[in-house]
């Protein structure tokens, strides 16, 4: 059974999908990752300009990925040892 209007079906599908991802925890996680990336870029930029450190620009996203891994592992451990 197909809906009459395919575009309304797509809109409702995408709205449901966005509402699932747009939770408070996900917003905090995304803000934390963006903050880590911004801090990494600013530190690398300042270090490059002052000559303090030689930064490989490919490694700038590692802190954000580390934060993501820590959050994922912490959530998995919390869910595993949750008291019922």
């Amino acid at each position: 059974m197909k809906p009459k209007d395919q575009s309304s079906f797509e809109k409702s599908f995408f709205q449901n999908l966005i509402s699932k991802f747009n939770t408070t925890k996900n917003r905090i996680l995304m803000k934390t990752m963006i903050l880590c990336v911004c801090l990494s870029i600013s530190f690398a930029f300042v270090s490059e300009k002052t000559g303090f450190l030689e930064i490989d620009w490919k490694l700038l996203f590692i802190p954000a990925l580390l934060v993501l891994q820590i959050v994922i592992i912490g959530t998995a451990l919390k869910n595993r040892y949750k008291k019922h």
Side-chain angles (χ1 to χ4, degrees):
M1 197 166 151
K2 288 188 175 182
K4 293 179 184 176
D5 189 11
Q6 187 69 17
S7 64
S8 67
F9 173 73
E10 289 175 0
K11 285 181 183 178
S12 65
F13 174 73
F14 287 122
Q15 285 176 347
N16 288 337
L17 188 65
I18 288 172
S19 67
K20 287 181 183 178
F21 288 119
N22 196 13
T23 62
T24 305
K25 288 183 181 179
N26 288 346
R27 277 186 255 153
I28 293 171
L29 176 64
M30 292 303 290
K31 287 179 183 178
T32 306
M33 290 176 59
I34 290 171
L35 178 67
C36 287
V37 169
C38 291
L39 288 174
S40 298
I41 290 173
S42 63
F43 178 74
F45 184 72
V46 169
S47 297
E48 188 78 23
K49 291 294 179 187
T50 60
F52 178 66
L53 284 175
E54 196 71 27
I55 302 291
D56 187 9
W57 289 93
K58 297 174 195 170
L59 303 176
L60 289 180
F61 298 104
I62 289 178
L65 293 174
L66 287 174
V67 168
L68 179 63
Q69 288 177 349
I70 289 169
V71 169
I72 289 172
I73 291 169
T75 305
L77 288 173
K78 184 174 67 174
N79 288 339
R80 180 177 177 144
Y81 296 111
K82 187 187 304 184
K83 294 183 179 181
H84 297 285

